[in-house]
Amino acid sequence: MIAHTRQRGVAMLIVLWACTLLAILLGGFAVMSRTEGLQARYQFAQAQAHYAAEAGLVQTINGLMSQDPQQRPIPDGRPYPITFDDAKVIVTVVDEDGKVDLNSAGGAVLQALFQAAGAPQQRAISLAAAVQDWRSFGIAGLPNGAKAPAYKAAGLPYGPRNGPFATIEELQQVLGMDNDLYEVVAPVVTIWSGRERPNPVHAPALALAAIPGMTPDQANALLASRQDPNASVAGANGVTHSIRSEATLADGTRAVLRAVVRLRGAQAGSQPYAVLRWQEGDSE
């Protein structure tokens, strides 16, 4: 009788352990299923926001190519709201002609840019010369500039390209440039305009300050004139534009796309535009 009771107790204990183990397994499966469900919803929302941002970008490109001036966005960085499905999309367009071209700008433009961005005069002079030395093919440097020996003396494992800037990010490698100054000037420099100085019609404020002879009063007047909703710069646009499209869903999910596009026009047998640069997110 006692042995039988012990057997029943052992059996009951095994059943209890089995039930406990089963409950743990079921709980784990429930947590895993919930986590997978949340991940799926997050990924779906991210994809939805991404495609909304892409729709805003494509719609803006179509507007830039429109024959109707009223349909073309003014490329001076002003925000354009767009609604796409349940997403709110904000698009900004900047004409690359309004920026400082790292490969074409003269020393006076580069110096004025760096000074306007907060660099002391002597540092701005040296940086302007170093930028010109970076892109020049010769081995002889400018006064206050930097060719290969200067980089070696600074302990850097590289020298100047001795050719045109291939990317905007390359500016970070120029001797004397630091991250703080780069973050300020990066939004207003380009490698795609080919202009010696920015086009003042839609240049950002910092790029306006880099134009020789541009006074603060003139720059402020230009910026103020853009606040007129009836203002138009039809016919003044270039062919290469930076576009930033930010989409936000009702639940706060956000996606940002940035692209540099060059319009080609309606040429037979060719794409109407080319994408020169494509980035997801706001990081450089």
Side-chain angles (χ1 to χ4, degrees):
M1 184 66 179
I2 294 175
H4 181 66
T5 301
R6 288 178 177 175
Q7 290 176 352
R8 290 181 60 187
V10 171
M12 182 65 70
L13 185 60
I14 292 173
V15 170
L16 289 174
W17 274 107
C19 290
T20 301
L21 180 60
L22 182 60
I24 292 172
L25 290 174
L26 289 175
F29 284 131
V31 170
M32 185 172 61
S33 297
R34 182 175 182 275
T35 301
E36 290 178 349
L38 290 173
Q39 289 177 338
R41 285 195 293 273
Y42 171 78
Q43 291 172 351
F44 178 79
Q46 283 292 317
Q48 188 178 7
H50 173 91
Y51 286 117
E54 191 169 319
L57 194 147
V58 171
Q59 184 173 329
T60 301
I61 295 173
N62 288 334
L64 288 169
M65 296 188 297
S66 174
Q67 298 299 313
D68 181 1
Q70 298 300 319
Q71 298 298 318
R72 291 200 294 267
I74 299 174
D76 64 355
R78 68 185 63 192
Y80 285 93
I82 298 172
T83 300
F84 182 79
D85 287 343
D86 295 328
K88 293 182 179 179
V89 184
I90 301 294
V91 177
T92 57
V93 189
V94 176
D95 196 316
E96 293 293 289
D97 279 1
K99 297 182 179 181
V100 175
D101 194 306
L102 294 174
N103 289 322
S104 303
V109 172
L110 292 167
Q111 179 186 335
L113 171 67
F114 295 136
Q115 280 191 249
Q121 183 179 17
Q122 188 54 51
R123 184 185 175 202
I125 292 173
S126 297
L127 272 172
V131 167
Q132 294 174 87
D133 280 347
W134 181 278
R135 73 195 189 196
S136 66
F137 294 96
I139 58 173
L142 295 171
N144 300 300
K147 279 296 189 179
Y151 286 82
K152 184 176 181 180
L156 296 172
Y158 60 87
R161 175 181 285 277
N162 294 329
F165 283 83
T167 66
I168 293 169
E169 289 80 6
E170 205 171 296
L171 179 60
Q172 297 174 91
Q173 297 178 269
V174 172
L175 189 65
M177 178 60 64
D178 60 33
N179 187 65
D180 290 341
L181 184 60
Y182 173 78
E183 291 293 332
V184 176
V185 302
V188 299
V189 295
T190 183
I191 57 173
W192 292 293
S193 79
R195 295 176 61 97
E196 184 179 352
R197 61 182 63 186
N199 183 343
V201 175
H202 31 62
L206 186 57
L208 282 174
I211 299 175
M214 177 70 66
T215 67
D217 287 343
Q218 290 173 326
N220 289 334
L222 275 170
L223 294 172
S225 69
R226 297 175 189 171
Q227 304 306 312
D228 181 357
N230 297 316
S232 173
V233 291
N237 293 0
V239 296
T240 308
H241 301 81
S242 295
I243 304 173
R244 181 183 184 276
S245 180
E246 177 179 342
T248 306
L249 304 184
D251 64 359
T253 303
R254 175 176 166 271
V256 176
L257 293 180
R258 295 187 298 157
V260 177
V261 298
R262 174 164 291 165
L263 307 181
R264 291 174 169 173
Q267 300 177 7
S270 68
Q271 294 291 330
Y273 64 91
V275 177
L276 305 179
R277 187 182 190 188
W278 181 275
Q279 292 177 286
E280 299 187 12
D282 268 332
S283 59
E284 289 290 340

